[in-house]
Amino acid sequence: MSMMDSSEVLANYYFTHGDIARAMQYYDACRGVLNNAQGLGEDYLSAVKVKGDLCSAFYLLCKAIEEGDWRIYEEAGDKFLELINEGLIDELTTEGAVMSYRGAIDGVEEIEDAVRIYSKYVKAVSKYFDNIVKDRYGDFNAFIEEFRKGDYEGLAHALNTDVSTLKLYVVGKVIIDVVKEEGLSEDTALEVLAYLAGLGLNPLDMGIDEMIEELQGFVTNEEFLNRVRDLLTKIKDKLNNIIGN
């Protein structure tokens, strides 16, 4: 574990200072320890595995940055998201997932690939901001009180993000709530949000007809569009209720 810790510390240092090649080298050393971990107790082995998996995810992120391959970015994001789903929800995993999926989104070209990646990106963004909101405001409702004041630039700056990502987080939370109320799956919510986010459409700033018109340029399935229109109506109502627009 001490070998992994020292390698990870050095890797994180070089990563944050932009020396990606050297960071990649130390993340590789960190994850390599996992392959030689034998004869350890179950609890200790579990801790070693988590750290090894985290180093593997960062190794892939470094490789993606070095090679500029959106597929490797997505693979890295999936590694981080897997750790998040296993309960390791902290700054490293959530930031790593967001960075990875953003990198993938920047390089992807096909709409099907973009929707898939955006769906996972939205999930990562939600986990990332849930952590920050909990630490800074205590809960989502307290955060919304600040959001309701309308100083999006100031709030985004305080949370070290941009206004569009801040709004994506809020709309994402509302969409998930609406979909649950309707008895639909989370995947449905993420698919809808992926289309909206990917096309730069936000229910906070746009009308339903305007958004549907934009979507029709990319989606030909009328049944899906009708379902989205129905959801957008409920989403707009809920946003108006909680934000007071």
Side-chain angles (χ1 to χ4, degrees):
M1 182 65 85
S2 62
M3 291 173 62
M4 297 182 86
D5 285 341
S6 60
S7 294
E8 184 186 26
V9 167
L10 285 168
N12 289 341
Y13 172 82
Y14 287 119
F15 185 83
T16 56
H17 285 77
D19 191 340
I20 302 302
R22 192 162 293 183
M24 190 174 172
Q25 173 188 339
Y26 282 104
Y27 283 129
D28 192 30
C30 173
R31 69 175 188 161
V33 175
L34 182 60
N35 297 327
N36 300 316
Q38 298 176 355
L40 300 176
E42 185 175 338
D43 291 342
Y44 197 68
L45 181 60
S46 177
V48 169
K49 183 181 183 306
V50 167
K51 189 173 288 291
D53 287 343
L54 184 58
C55 286
S56 294
F58 270 108
Y59 172 84
L60 284 170
L61 177 54
C62 290
K63 184 178 180 182
I65 293 170
E66 288 280 279
E67 298 185 13
D69 189 331
W70 68 264
R71 294 173 182 81
I72 303 176
Y73 273 114
E74 184 182 9
E75 186 181 355
D78 290 349
K79 276 280 189 183
F80 284 115
L81 201 56
E82 183 179 316
L83 285 164
I84 290 169
N85 290 334
E86 289 174 359
L88 186 63
I89 306 173
D90 59 18
E91 186 176 347
L92 284 175
T93 53
T94 53
E95 281 194 3
V98 169
M99 288 176 63
S100 298
Y101 288 132
R102 271 186 173 170
I105 289 165
D106 287 343
V108 74
E109 295 181 356
E110 297 296 328
I111 187 68
E112 293 83 2
D113 293 326
V115 169
R116 181 186 68 253
I117 295 167
Y118 252 115
S119 297
K120 293 183 282 192
Y121 170 65
V122 168
K123 189 179 290 188
V125 166
S126 183
K127 296 290 187 182
Y128 172 70
F129 281 108
D130 280 347
N131 273 350
I132 295 177
V133 164
K134 183 178 180 182
D135 289 342
R136 191 177 183 91
Y137 300 100
D139 59 28
F140 184 72
N141 290 331
F143 161 76
I144 284 296
E145 287 298 321
E146 287 297 312
F147 189 86
R148 189 179 285 132
K149 295 175 183 177
D151 182 13
Y152 302 142
E153 289 283 354
L155 189 54
H157 179 74
L159 297 180
N160 194 30
T161 189
D162 56 81
V163 172
S164 63
T165 306
L166 179 72
K167 289 182 176 181
L168 175 66
Y169 170 62
V170 173
V171 172
K173 297 287 280 189
V174 170
I175 289 179
I176 294 294
D177 284 348
V178 168
V179 165
K180 285 180 179 177
E181 290 167 4
E182 295 295 306
L184 303 173
S185 70
E186 184 176 291
D187 287 343
T188 299
L190 292 173
E191 182 182 11
V192 172
L193 190 53
Y195 273 107
L196 296 178
L199 297 173
L201 311 178
N202 196 309
L204 280 167
D205 307 314
M206 302 175 69
I208 294 169
D209 289 340
E210 187 181 3
M211 288 185 284
I212 291 295
E213 185 178 345
E214 291 287 339
L215 282 168
Q216 284 174 331
F218 293 87
V219 181
T220 57
N221 187 326
E222 286 297 325
E223 183 180 347
F224 177 74
L225 285 171
N226 289 334
R227 191 163 69 245
V228 171
R229 182 186 288 276
D230 184 55
L231 282 173
L232 285 174
T233 301
K234 294 178 172 65
I235 290 161
K236 288 286 285 186
D237 288 343
K238 194 173 187 70
L239 281 169
N240 289 340
N241 287 334
I242 68 172
I243 296 171
N245 287 345

